[in-house]
Amino acid sequence: MRSFAEIYARTEPLPASAGDTDPSSPGVVYVVDDDFFARTAVRAILEDTDWRVEEFSTCEAFLAAIEPDAEACLVVDVHFPGMGGLQLLQRLKGLPWQIPVVVISGSSGVSEAVQSMRTGACDFLEKPVASDRLLASLAEAFRQSRDAKAVATMHQAALDHIADLTPRQREIMRLVLAGHPSKNIAADLGISRRTVENHRASIMHKTGARSLPALAKLALSSIWRPDELMA
């Protein structure tokens, strides 16, 4: 496998357009860099291992072409004449969908690396990047993205299951999952034990949970913080 430095030294031009569209590839990698030879180097490394690649010379061009919800990863340089890589990360954070980002840079400033990670980058790599380091970083970025999407899907499914619960039922569910018996819940809420039991039965029916552990898993998947059960 060729190294980044070896490919970076190549001088023959390659078209700055979409790369191989083999559907068996793990996803598309967007390469955004105003340095033609840097883009060529990254593209060659990725296409050597059958990754799909699309490249852009500006962040603005990338934003205009990116497809929402595509299984993709972004490799972006920090410094551009116009919108910089860190500014692009800030723009991406405001979108309703997310894309994992690997930042590359010709400088080795610690503050630049820290700022990249704080803005949401999965990794920060210095040029020239060894091919195995780049590929490992991209593989991890895709893995994190898939995990995040799986969590988001589980979260939405759980929200859908508890959407029909009334505020009282959410309150009782919180108390049940906190380990309070029905008689104590009834006393705390000033209602009868039978009413509590009826609510518990309705909660199990509406959520489709067949046991308290299943209900607990559903409730935890539906919230980011435990106190949100009361929202």
Side-chain angles (χ1 to χ4, degrees), residues 55 57 62 79 128 153 222:
E55 57 180 88
S57 59
F62 162 73
H79 302 290
T153 299
S222 72

Side-chain angles (χ1 to χ4, degrees), residues 145-159 221 224:
S145 176
R146 288 164 181 154
D147 288 349
K149 288 179 179 178
V151 170
T153 299
M154 185 182 301
H155 173 69
Q156 186 58 53
L159 284 177
S221 296
W224 303 121

Side-chain angles (χ1 to χ4, degrees), residues 204-217:
M204 302 299 281
H205 175 72
K206 287 182 177 181
T207 60
R210 296 185 178 182
S211 65
L212 285 181
L215 180 64
K217 182 178 180 180

